[in-house]
Amino acid sequence: EYMGTALVMALPGARRGRSRTAEYFSRMLNYKQMDFEIALWQMFSLCVEPRKVYRNMSYHKQVANQWARDDPAFVVATSGFLAVASIAFGIAFHAGWWRTMQLVLWSVFADFIGWGVLTASIGWAVCNFVLRESGTHQSSSSRVEWFYAFDVHCNAFFALFIGLYVVQYVVLFVVLSPSFVGALAANTLYAASFLAYHYISFLGYSELPMVHRPKVFLYPAVCVVLVWLLFTVTGTNVARVVFSFYF
């Protein structure tokens, strides 16, 4: 009954959602309407003090009456960094220009955007239908915005980008070593990156006053640790597995 009520309540917001989406993409096509300085500041803060980014987003809620960013600069900047990093990996693996362009498209539209749409939709549904405080079920203003869930993914994904694109590129010769040390280094780097992803996601959802028990978003970290242990004990190098898929 509650889920049906929530879906009915969501219908009046559907038109506003479509309008927001159209405005979001129109700003994406206009460089002057995007604030890359703030986006870069947020990226730096995510590396040193991620809570500061979410505090800033809570201020945005007070000013703009929405939790989600209305500026696509962060998404555009991340996509640009992913493209550059993918080209660097393509050069390092002598992949050729066509394979490198495929890697760029896959990294941006599958790894970043596609995975983001999936995880944001799951996070949005879990928050609105499972974790919301019982006293807020009938309040439309207390629903978690899908775009905010996507912002949470974007913030968390930047940690993955630093670990698996930047750091991994620097230590590529170590993580691709067929030795046990190479497997340990690769598995630890991947585990640390995914743990950071889930931790930053948890911080994002814990900032929302209507979400009860946001620690649920830390549960996947247990799976990350178990997979790290399994791969390390068996000597499986996750980096070699990943790069065999891409190249």
Side-chain angles (χ1 to χ4, degrees), residues 85-170:
S86 298
I87 291 171
F89 275 106
I91 293 173
F93 282 89
H94 307 286
W97 71 270
W98 174 241
R99 188 70 188 93
T100 299
M101 289 303 103
Q102 287 180 314
L103 179 62
V104 169
L105 294 175
W106 182 272
S107 297
V108 174
F109 294 104
D111 291 348
F112 178 40
I113 304 295
W115 183 28
V117 169
L118 175 62
T119 57
S121 299
I122 293 173
W124 172 86
V126 169
C127 285
N128 283 316
F129 300 126
V130 180
L131 301 181
R132 283 174 65 195
E133 292 282 2
S134 58
T136 64
H137 285 170
Q138 304 303 320
S139 174
S140 61
S141 63
S142 69
R143 289 196 302 268
V144 176
E145 305 159 14
W146 185 91
F147 269 101
Y148 180 80
F150 185 72
D151 282 340
V152 169
H153 158 76
C154 292
N155 293 339
F157 186 89
F158 190 73
L160 277 183
F161 170 76
I162 294 297
L164 302 186
Y165 284 83
V166 179
V167 176
Q168 183 170 220
Y169 187 84
V170 173

Coordinates of all heavy atoms in Angstrom, one line a residue, residues 85-170:
A85 N 42.5 9.6 -19.3 CA 43.1 8.5 -18.7 C 43.0 7.2 -19.6 O 43.9 6.4 -19.7 CB 42.5 8.2 -17.3
S86 N 41.9 7.1 -20.3 CA 41.7 5.9 -21.1 C 42.6 6.0 -22.3 O 43.2 4.9 -22.8 CB 40.2 5.9 -21.6 OG 39.3 5.7 -20.6
I87 N 42.8 7.2 -22.9 CA 43.8 7.3 -23.9 C 45.2 7.0 -23.5 O 46.0 6.3 -24.2 CB 43.8 8.8 -24.5 CG1 42.4 9.0 -25.2 CG2 44.9 9.0 -25.4 CD1 42.2 10.5 -25.6
A88 N 45.6 7.4 -22.2 CA 46.9 7.0 -21.7 C 47.0 5.5 -21.6 O 48.1 5.0 -21.9 CB 47.0 7.7 -20.3
F89 N 46.0 4.8 -21.1 CA 46.1 3.4 -21.0 C 46.2 2.7 -22.4 O 46.9 1.8 -22.6 CB 44.9 2.8 -20.3 CG 45.0 2.8 -18.8 CD1 44.3 3.7 -18.0 CD2 45.8 1.9 -18.1 CE1 44.4 3.8 -16.6 CE2 45.9 1.9 -16.7 CZ 45.2 2.8 -16.0
G90 N 45.4 3.3 -23.4 CA 45.5 2.8 -24.7 C 46.9 2.9 -25.3 O 47.4 2.0 -25.9
I91 N 47.6 4.0 -25.0 CA 49.0 4.2 -25.5 C 49.9 3.2 -24.7 O 50.8 2.6 -25.4 CB 49.4 5.7 -25.2 CG1 48.6 6.6 -26.1 CG2 50.9 5.8 -25.5 CD1 48.8 8.1 -25.8
A92 N 49.7 3.1 -23.4 CA 50.6 2.2 -22.7 C 50.5 0.7 -23.1 O 51.5 0.0 -23.1 CB 50.2 2.2 -21.2
F93 N 49.3 0.3 -23.6 CA 49.1 -1.1 -24.0 C 49.2 -1.2 -25.6 O 48.8 -2.3 -26.1 CB 47.7 -1.6 -23.5 CG 47.7 -2.0 -22.1 CD1 47.4 -1.1 -21.1 CD2 48.0 -3.3 -21.7 CE1 47.4 -1.4 -19.8 CE2 48.0 -3.7 -20.4 CZ 47.7 -2.7 -19.4
H94 N 49.5 -0.1 -26.3 CA 49.7 -0.1 -27.7 C 48.4 -0.7 -28.4 O 48.4 -1.6 -29.2 CB 50.9 -1.0 -28.1 CG 52.2 -0.6 -27.5 ND1 52.9 0.5 -27.8 CD2 52.9 -1.2 -26.5 CE1 54.0 0.6 -27.1 NE2 54.0 -0.4 -26.2
A95 N 47.3 -0.1 -27.9 CA 46.0 -0.7 -28.3 C 45.5 -0.2 -29.7 O 44.6 -0.8 -30.3 CB 44.9 -0.2 -27.3
G96 N 46.2 0.8 -30.3 CA 45.7 1.3 -31.5 C 44.6 2.3 -31.3 O 43.9 2.3 -30.3
W97 N 44.4 3.2 -32.3 CA 43.5 4.3 -32.1 C 42.0 3.9 -32.0 O 41.3 4.4 -31.2 CB 43.6 5.4 -33.3 CG 43.1 4.9 -34.6 CD1 43.8 4.2 -35.6 CD2 41.8 5.1 -35.1 NE1 43.0 4.0 -36.6 CE2 41.7 4.5 -36.4 CE3 40.6 5.7 -34.5 CZ2 40.6 4.5 -37.1 CZ3 39.5 5.7 -35.3 CH2 39.4 5.1 -36.6
W98 N 41.6 2.9 -32.8 CA 40.2 2.5 -32.8 C 39.9 1.8 -31.4 O 38.9 2.1 -30.8 CB 39.9 1.5 -33.9 CG 38.5 0.9 -33.9 CD1 38.2 -0.4 -33.8 CD2 37.3 1.6 -33.9 NE1 36.8 -0.5 -33.8 CE2 36.2 0.7 -33.8 CE3 36.9 3.0 -34.0 CZ2 34.9 1.0 -33.8 CZ3 35.6 3.3 -34.0 CH2 34.6 2.4 -33.9
R99 N 40.8 0.9 -31.0 CA 40.5 0.2 -29.7 C 40.6 1.2 -28.6 O 39.8 1.1 -27.6 CB 41.6 -0.9 -29.5 CG 41.3 -1.7 -28.3 CD 40.1 -2.6 -28.5 NE 39.7 -3.3 -27.3 CZ 38.8 -2.9 -26.4 NH1 38.2 -1.7 -26.7 NH2 38.5 -3.6 -25.4
T100 N 41.4 2.2 -28.7 CA 41.5 3.2 -27.6 C 40.2 4.1 -27.6 O 39.7 4.4 -26.5 CB 42.7 4.2 -27.9 OG1 43.9 3.4 -27.9 CG2 42.8 5.3 -26.8
M101 N 39.7 4.4 -28.7 CA 38.4 5.2 -28.8 C 37.3 4.3 -28.2 O 36.4 4.9 -27.5 CB 38.1 5.6 -30.2 CG 39.0 6.7 -30.7 SD 39.0 8.2 -29.7 CE 40.6 8.0 -28.8
Q102 N 37.3 3.0 -28.4 CA 36.3 2.1 -27.8 C 36.4 2.2 -26.3 O 35.4 2.2 -25.6 CB 36.5 0.7 -28.4 CG 36.0 0.5 -29.8 CD 36.2 -0.9 -30.3 OE1 37.3 -1.5 -30.1 NE2 35.2 -1.4 -30.9
L103 N 37.7 2.2 -25.9 CA 37.9 2.2 -24.4 C 37.4 3.5 -23.8 O 36.8 3.5 -22.7 CB 39.4 2.0 -24.1 CG 39.9 2.1 -22.7 CD1 39.2 0.9 -21.9 CD2 41.4 2.0 -22.5
V104 N 37.6 4.6 -24.5 CA 37.1 5.9 -24.0 C 35.6 5.9 -23.9 O 35.1 6.3 -22.8 CB 37.6 7.0 -25.0 CG1 36.8 8.3 -24.6 CG2 39.1 7.2 -24.9
L105 N 34.9 5.4 -24.9 CA 33.5 5.3 -24.9 C 33.0 4.4 -23.8 O 32.0 4.7 -23.1 CB 33.0 4.9 -26.3 CG 33.2 5.9 -27.4 CD1 32.8 5.3 -28.7 CD2 32.5 7.2 -27.2
W106 N 33.6 3.3 -23.7 CA 33.2 2.3 -22.6 C 33.4 2.9 -21.2 O 32.5 2.8 -20.4 CB 34.0 1.0 -22.8 CG 33.6 0.0 -21.8 CD1 34.1 -0.2 -20.5 CD2 32.5 -1.0 -22.0 NE1 33.4 -1.3 -19.9 CE2 32.5 -1.8 -20.8 CE3 31.7 -1.4 -23.0 CZ2 31.6 -2.8 -20.6 CZ3 30.8 -2.4 -22.9 CH2 30.7 -3.1 -21.7
S107 N 34.6 3.5 -21.0 CA 34.9 4.1 -19.7 C 33.9 5.1 -19.3 O 33.4 5.2 -18.1 CB 36.3 4.7 -19.7 OG 37.2 3.6 -19.9
V108 N 33.5 6.0 -20.2 CA 32.6 7.1 -19.9 C 31.2 6.7 -19.9 O 30.5 6.9 -18.9 CB 32.8 8.3 -21.0 CG1 31.7 9.4 -20.7 CG2 34.2 8.8 -20.9
F109 N 30.7 6.0 -20.9 CA 29.3 5.7 -21.0 C 28.8 4.4 -20.3 O 27.6 4.2 -20.0 CB 28.8 5.7 -22.5 CG 29.0 7.1 -23.1 CD1 30.0 7.3 -24.0 CD2 28.1 8.1 -22.8 CE1 30.1 8.6 -24.5 CE2 28.2 9.3 -23.3 CZ 29.2 9.6 -24.2
A110 N 29.8 3.4 -20.1 CA 29.4 2.2 -19.4 C 29.9 2.2 -18.0 O 29.1 2.1 -17.0 CB 30.0 1.0 -20.2
D111 N 31.2 2.4 -17.8 CA 31.7 2.3 -16.4 C 31.3 3.5 -15.5 O 31.0 3.3 -14.3 CB 33.3 2.4 -16.5 CG 33.9 1.1 -17.1 OD1 33.1 0.1 -17.2 OD2 35.1 1.1 -17.4
F112 N 31.2 4.7 -16.1 CA 30.8 5.8 -15.3 C 29.3 6.1 -15.4 O 28.6 6.0 -14.4 CB 31.6 7.1 -15.8 CG 31.2 8.3 -15.1 CD1 31.0 8.4 -13.7 CD2 31.2 9.5 -15.8 CE1 30.7 9.6 -13.1 CE2 30.9 10.7 -15.1 CZ 30.6 10.7 -13.8
I113 N 28.8 6.4 -16.6 CA 27.4 6.8 -16.7 C 26.4 5.6 -16.5 O 25.5 5.7 -15.7 CB 27.1 7.5 -18.1 CG1 28.1 8.7 -18.3 CG2 25.7 7.9 -18.2 CD1 27.8 9.8 -17.3
G114 N 26.7 4.5 -17.2 CA 25.8 3.4 -17.2 C 25.7 2.8 -15.8 O 24.6 2.6 -15.2
W115 N 26.9 2.6 -15.2 CA 26.9 2.0 -13.8 C 26.3 3.0 -12.8 O 25.6 2.7 -11.9 CB 28.3 1.7 -13.4 CG 28.5 1.1 -12.1 CD1 27.6 0.3 -11.4 CD2 29.6 1.2 -11.2 NE1 28.1 -0.1 -10.2 CE2 29.3 0.5 -10.0 CE3 30.8 1.8 -11.3 CZ2 30.2 0.4 -9.0 CZ3 31.7 1.7 -10.2 CH2 31.4 1.0 -9.1
G116 N 26.5 4.3 -13.1 CA 25.9 5.3 -12.3 C 24.4 5.3 -12.3 O 23.7 5.5 -11.3
V117 N 23.8 5.2 -13.5 CA 22.3 5.1 -13.6 C 21.8 3.9 -12.8 O 20.8 4.0 -12.1 CB 21.9 5.0 -15.1 CG1 20.5 4.7 -15.2 CG2 22.3 6.4 -15.8
L118 N 22.5 2.8 -12.9 CA 22.1 1.6 -12.2 C 22.2 1.8 -10.7 O 21.2 1.5 -10.0 CB 22.9 0.4 -12.7 CG 22.6 -0.9 -11.9 CD1 21.2 -1.4 -12.2 CD2 23.6 -2.0 -12.4
T119 N 23.3 2.2 -10.2 CA 23.5 2.3 -8.8 C 22.7 3.4 -8.2 O 22.1 3.3 -7.1 CB 25.0 2.5 -8.4 OG1 25.5 3.7 -9.1 CG2 25.8 1.4 -8.8
A120 N 22.5 4.5 -8.9 CA 21.6 5.6 -8.5 C 20.2 5.2 -8.4 O 19.5 5.5 -7.4 CB 21.7 6.8 -9.4
S121 N 19.7 4.4 -9.3 CA 18.3 3.9 -9.3 C 18.1 2.9 -8.1 O 17.1 3.0 -7.4 CB 18.0 3.2 -10.6 OG 18.1 4.1 -11.7
I122 N 19.1 2.1 -7.8 CA 19.0 1.2 -6.7 C 19.1 2.0 -5.4 O 18.2 1.8 -4.5 CB 20.2 0.2 -6.7 CG1 20.0 -0.8 -7.9 CG2 20.2 -0.6 -5.4 CD1 21.2 -1.7 -8.1
G123 N 20.0 2.9 -5.3 CA 20.1 3.8 -4.1 C 18.8 4.6 -3.8 O 18.3 4.7 -2.7
W124 N 18.3 5.1 -4.9 CA 17.0 5.9 -4.8 C 15.9 5.1 -4.3 O 15.1 5.5 -3.5 CB 16.7 6.5 -6.2 CG 15.4 7.2 -6.3 CD1 15.1 8.5 -6.0 CD2 14.2 6.6 -6.8 NE1 13.7 8.7 -6.3 CE2 13.2 7.6 -6.7 CE3 13.8 5.3 -7.3 CZ2 11.8 7.3 -7.1 CZ3 12.5 5.0 -7.6 CH2 11.5 6.0 -7.6
A125 N 15.8 3.9 -4.9 CA 14.7 3.0 -4.5 C 14.8 2.5 -3.1 O 13.8 2.5 -2.3 CB 14.6 1.8 -5.5
V126 N 16.0 2.1 -2.7 CA 16.3 1.7 -1.3 C 15.9 2.8 -0.3 O 15.3 2.5 0.7 CB 17.7 1.2 -1.1 CG1 18.0 0.9 0.3 CG2 17.9 -0.1 -1.9
C127 N 16.4 4.0 -0.6 CA 16.1 5.1 0.3 C 14.6 5.4 0.4 O 14.1 5.6 1.5 CB 16.9 6.4 -0.2 SG 18.6 6.3 0.1
N128 N 14.0 5.5 -0.7 CA 12.6 5.9 -0.7 C 11.6 4.9 -0.2 O 10.6 5.2 0.4 CB 12.2 6.4 -2.1 CG 12.7 7.8 -2.4 OD1 12.6 8.7 -1.6 ND2 13.2 7.9 -3.6
F129 N 11.9 3.6 -0.5 CA 10.9 2.5 -0.2 C 11.3 1.7 1.0 O 10.5 0.9 1.5 CB 10.7 1.7 -1.4 CG 10.1 2.4 -2.6 CD1 10.8 2.4 -3.8 CD2 9.0 3.2 -2.4 CE1 10.3 3.1 -4.9 CE2 8.5 3.9 -3.5 CZ 9.1 3.9 -4.7
V130 N 12.6 1.8 1.5 CA 13.0 0.9 2.6 C 13.5 1.7 3.8 O 13.2 1.4 4.9 CB 14.1 0.0 2.1 CG1 14.6 -0.9 3.2 CG2 13.6 -0.9 0.9
L131 N 14.3 2.8 3.5 CA 15.1 3.4 4.6 C 14.5 4.7 5.1 O 15.0 5.3 6.0 CB 16.5 3.6 4.2 CG 17.3 2.4 3.8 CD1 18.7 2.8 3.4 CD2 17.3 1.4 4.9
R132 N 13.4 5.2 4.5 CA 12.9 6.5 4.9 C 12.2 6.4 6.2 O 11.6 5.3 6.6 CB 11.8 7.0 3.9 CG 12.5 7.6 2.6 CD 11.4 8.0 1.6 NE 10.6 9.0 2.1 CZ 9.4 9.3 1.5 NH1 9.0 8.6 0.5 NH2 8.7 10.3 2.0
E133 N 12.3 7.4 7.0 CA 11.7 7.5 8.3 C 10.2 7.3 8.2 O 9.6 7.9 7.3 CB 12.0 8.8 9.0 CG 13.5 9.0 9.4 CD 13.8 8.2 10.7 OE1 12.9 7.5 11.2 OE2 15.0 8.3 11.1
S134 N 9.6 6.6 9.1 CA 8.1 6.3 8.9 C 7.3 7.6 9.0 O 6.3 7.7 8.3 CB 7.6 5.4 10.1 OG 7.9 6.0 11.3
G135 N 7.7 8.6 9.7 CA 7.0 9.8 9.8 C 7.1 10.7 8.5 O 6.4 11.7 8.4
T136 N 7.9 10.3 7.6 CA 8.1 11.1 6.4 C 7.5 10.5 5.1 O 7.6 11.0 4.0 CB 9.6 11.4 6.1 OG1 10.2 10.1 5.8 CG2 10.2 12.1 7.3
H137 N 6.8 9.4 5.3 CA 6.3 8.6 4.1 C 5.3 9.4 3.3 O 5.2 9.3 2.1 CB 5.6 7.3 4.6 CG 6.6 6.3 5.0 ND1 6.3 5.1 5.6 CD2 8.0 6.2 4.9 CE1 7.4 4.4 5.9 NE2 8.4 5.1 5.4
Q138 N 4.5 10.3 3.9 CA 3.5 11.0 3.2 C 3.9 12.4 2.7 O 3.1 13.1 2.2 CB 2.2 11.1 4.0 CG 1.7 9.8 4.6 CD 1.4 8.8 3.4 OE1 0.9 9.2 2.4 NE2 1.7 7.5 3.6
S139 N 5.2 12.7 3.0 CA 5.7 14.0 2.6 C 6.4 14.0 1.3 O 7.5 13.3 1.2 CB 6.6 14.6 3.7 OG 7.1 15.8 3.3
S140 N 5.9 14.6 0.2 CA 6.6 14.6 -1.1 C 8.0 15.3 -1.0 O 8.9 14.9 -1.7 CB 5.7 15.2 -2.1 OG 5.5 16.6 -1.8
S141 N 8.1 16.3 -0.2 CA 9.4 17.0 -0.1 C 10.5 16.2 0.6 O 11.6 16.6 0.5 CB 9.1 18.3 0.7 OG 8.8 18.1 2.0
S142 N 10.1 15.1 1.2 CA 11.1 14.3 1.9 C 11.6 13.2 1.1 O 12.4 12.3 1.5 CB 10.5 13.8 3.2 OG 9.5 12.8 3.0
R143 N 11.1 13.0 -0.1 CA 11.6 12.0 -1.0 C 13.1 12.2 -1.4 O 13.5 13.4 -1.7 CB 10.7 11.8 -2.3 CG 9.4 11.3 -2.0 CD 8.7 10.8 -3.3 NE 8.6 11.9 -4.3 CZ 7.6 12.7 -4.4 NH1 6.5 12.6 -3.6 NH2 7.6 13.7 -5.2
V144 N 13.8 11.2 -1.5 CA 15.2 11.3 -2.0 C 15.2 11.5 -3.5 O 14.5 10.8 -4.2 CB 16.0 10.1 -1.6 CG1 17.4 10.1 -2.2 CG2 16.1 9.9 -0.1
E145 N 15.9 12.5 -4.0 CA 15.9 12.8 -5.4 C 16.8 11.8 -6.2 O 17.9 11.5 -5.7 CB 16.4 14.2 -5.7 CG 15.7 15.3 -4.9 CD 16.5 16.6 -4.7 OE1 17.5 16.7 -5.4 OE2 16.1 17.4 -3.9
W146 N 16.3 11.4 -7.4 CA 17.1 10.5 -8.1 C 18.5 11.2 -8.5 O 19.5 10.5 -8.5 CB 16.4 10.0 -9.4 CG 17.2 9.0 -10.2 CD1 17.1 7.6 -10.0 CD2 18.2 9.2 -11.2 NE1 18.0 7.0 -10.9 CE2 18.6 7.9 -11.6 CE3 18.7 10.4 -11.8 CZ2 19.6 7.8 -12.6 CZ3 19.7 10.2 -12.7 CH2 20.1 9.0 -13.2
F147 N 18.4 12.4 -8.9 CA 19.6 13.1 -9.3 C 20.6 13.2 -8.1 O 21.8 13.3 -8.4 CB 19.3 14.5 -9.8 CG 19.0 14.5 -11.3 CD1 17.7 14.5 -11.9 CD2 20.1 14.5 -12.2 CE1 17.5 14.5 -13.2 CE2 19.9 14.5 -13.6 CZ 18.6 14.5 -14.1
Y148 N 20.1 13.3 -6.9 CA 21.0 13.3 -5.8 C 21.7 12.0 -5.7 O 22.9 11.9 -5.4 CB 20.3 13.6 -4.5 CG 21.2 13.7 -3.3 CD1 22.0 14.8 -3.0 CD2 21.3 12.6 -2.4 CE1 22.9 14.8 -1.9 CE2 22.2 12.5 -1.4 CZ 22.9 13.7 -1.1 OH 23.8 13.6 0.0
A149 N 20.9 10.9 -5.8 CA 21.5 9.5 -5.8 C 22.6 9.4 -6.9 O 23.7 8.8 -6.7 CB 20.5 8.5 -6.0
F150 N 22.4 10.0 -8.1 CA 23.4 10.0 -9.1 C 24.6 10.8 -8.7 O 25.7 10.5 -9.0 CB 22.8 10.5 -10.4 CG 23.7 10.4 -11.6 CD1 24.0 9.2 -12.2 CD2 24.3 11.5 -12.1 CE1 24.9 9.0 -13.2 CE2 25.2 11.4 -13.2 CZ 25.5 10.2 -13.8
D151 N 24.4 12.0 -8.1 CA 25.5 12.8 -7.5 C 26.3 12.0 -6.6 O 27.6 12.1 -6.5 CB 24.9 14.0 -6.9 CG 24.5 15.1 -7.9 OD1 25.0 15.0 -9.0 OD2 23.8 16.0 -7.5
V152 N 25.7 11.2 -5.7 CA 26.4 10.4 -4.7 C 27.3 9.4 -5.5 O 28.5 9.2 -5.1 CB 25.4 9.6 -3.8 CG1 26.1 8.5 -3.0 CG2 24.7 10.6 -2.9
H153 N 26.8 8.8 -6.5 CA 27.6 7.9 -7.4 C 28.8 8.7 -8.0 O 29.9 8.2 -7.9 CB 26.8 7.3 -8.5 CG 27.6 6.8 -9.6 ND1 28.4 5.6 -9.6 CD2 27.8 7.3 -10.9 CE1 29.0 5.5 -10.7 NE2 28.7 6.5 -11.5
C154 N 28.5 9.8 -8.5 CA 29.6 10.6 -9.2 C 30.7 10.9 -8.2 O 31.9 10.8 -8.5 CB 29.0 11.9 -9.8 SG 27.9 11.6 -11.2
N155 N 30.3 11.4 -7.0 CA 31.3 11.7 -5.9 C 32.1 10.4 -5.6 O 33.3 10.5 -5.5 CB 30.6 12.2 -4.7 CG 30.0 13.5 -4.9 OD1 30.3 14.3 -5.8 ND2 29.0 13.9 -4.1
A156 N 31.4 9.3 -5.4 CA 32.1 8.1 -5.0 C 33.0 7.5 -6.2 O 34.1 7.0 -5.9 CB 31.1 7.0 -4.6
F157 N 32.5 7.7 -7.4 CA 33.2 7.2 -8.5 C 34.6 7.9 -8.7 O 35.5 7.4 -9.2 CB 32.4 7.4 -9.8 CG 33.1 6.8 -11.0 CD1 32.8 5.4 -11.3 CD2 33.9 7.5 -11.9 CE1 33.4 4.8 -12.5 CE2 34.5 6.9 -13.0 CZ 34.3 5.6 -13.3
F158 N 34.6 9.2 -8.3 CA 35.9 9.9 -8.4 C 37.0 9.3 -7.6 O 38.1 9.3 -8.0 CB 35.7 11.4 -7.9 CG 36.9 12.2 -8.3 CD1 37.2 12.6 -9.6 CD2 37.8 12.7 -7.3 CE1 38.3 13.4 -9.9 CE2 38.9 13.4 -7.6 CZ 39.1 13.8 -8.9
A159 N 36.6 8.6 -6.4 CA 37.6 7.9 -5.7 C 38.1 6.7 -6.5 O 39.3 6.4 -6.5 CB 37.0 7.4 -4.3
L160 N 37.2 6.0 -7.2 CA 37.6 4.9 -8.0 C 38.5 5.4 -9.2 O 39.5 4.8 -9.5 CB 36.3 4.3 -8.7 CG 35.6 3.2 -7.9 CD1 34.4 2.7 -8.7 CD2 36.5 2.1 -7.4
F161 N 38.2 6.6 -9.7 CA 39.0 7.1 -10.8 C 40.4 7.4 -10.3 O 41.4 7.0 -11.0 CB 38.4 8.4 -11.3 CG 39.3 9.2 -12.2 CD1 39.5 8.8 -13.5 CD2 40.0 10.3 -11.7 CE1 40.3 9.5 -14.4 CE2 40.9 11.0 -12.6 CZ 41.0 10.6 -13.9
I162 N 40.6 8.0 -9.1 CA 41.9 8.2 -8.6 C 42.7 6.9 -8.4 O 43.8 6.8 -8.7 CB 41.8 9.0 -7.2 CG1 41.2 10.4 -7.5 CG2 43.2 9.1 -6.6 CD1 42.1 11.3 -8.4
G163 N 42.0 5.9 -7.8 CA 42.7 4.7 -7.5 C 42.9 3.8 -8.7 O 44.1 3.3 -8.9
L164 N 41.9 3.6 -9.6 CA 42.0 2.7 -10.6 C 42.5 3.2 -12.0 O 42.8 2.5 -12.9 CB 40.7 1.9 -10.8 CG 40.2 1.2 -9.6 CD1 39.0 0.4 -9.9 CD2 41.3 0.3 -9.0
Y165 N 42.5 4.6 -12.1 CA 43.0 5.2 -13.3 C 44.3 5.9 -13.1 O 45.2 5.8 -13.9 CB 41.9 6.1 -13.9 CG 40.8 5.4 -14.6 CD1 39.7 4.9 -13.8 CD2 40.7 5.3 -16.0 CE1 38.7 4.3 -14.4 CE2 39.7 4.6 -16.6 CZ 38.6 4.1 -15.8 OH 37.6 3.5 -16.4
V166 N 44.4 6.7 -12.0 CA 45.6 7.5 -11.8 C 46.7 6.7 -11.1 O 47.7 6.5 -11.6 CB 45.2 8.8 -11.0 CG1 46.5 9.6 -10.7 CG2 44.2 9.6 -11.7
V167 N 46.4 6.2 -9.9 CA 47.4 5.4 -9.1 C 47.8 4.2 -9.9 O 48.9 3.8 -10.0 CB 46.8 5.1 -7.7 CG1 47.8 4.3 -7.0 CG2 46.6 6.4 -6.9
Q168 N 46.8 3.5 -10.4 CA 47.1 2.2 -11.1 C 48.0 2.4 -12.3 O 48.9 1.6 -12.6 CB 45.8 1.5 -11.5 CG 46.1 0.2 -12.2 CD 44.8 -0.7 -12.4 OE1 44.8 -1.9 -12.2 NE2 43.7 0.0 -12.8
Y169 N 47.8 3.5 -13.0 CA 48.6 3.8 -14.2 C 50.1 4.1 -13.7 O 51.0 3.6 -14.4 CB 48.1 5.1 -14.9 CG 48.8 5.3 -16.2 CD1 48.4 4.7 -17.4 CD2 49.9 6.2 -16.3 CE1 49.1 4.9 -18.6 CE2 50.5 6.5 -17.5 CZ 50.1 5.8 -18.6 OH 50.8 6.1 -19.8
V170 N 50.3 4.7 -12.6 CA 51.6 5.0 -12.1 C 52.3 3.7 -11.7 O 53.5 3.6 -11.9 CB 51.5 6.0 -10.9 CG1 52.9 6.2 -10.3 CG2 51.0 7.4 -11.4

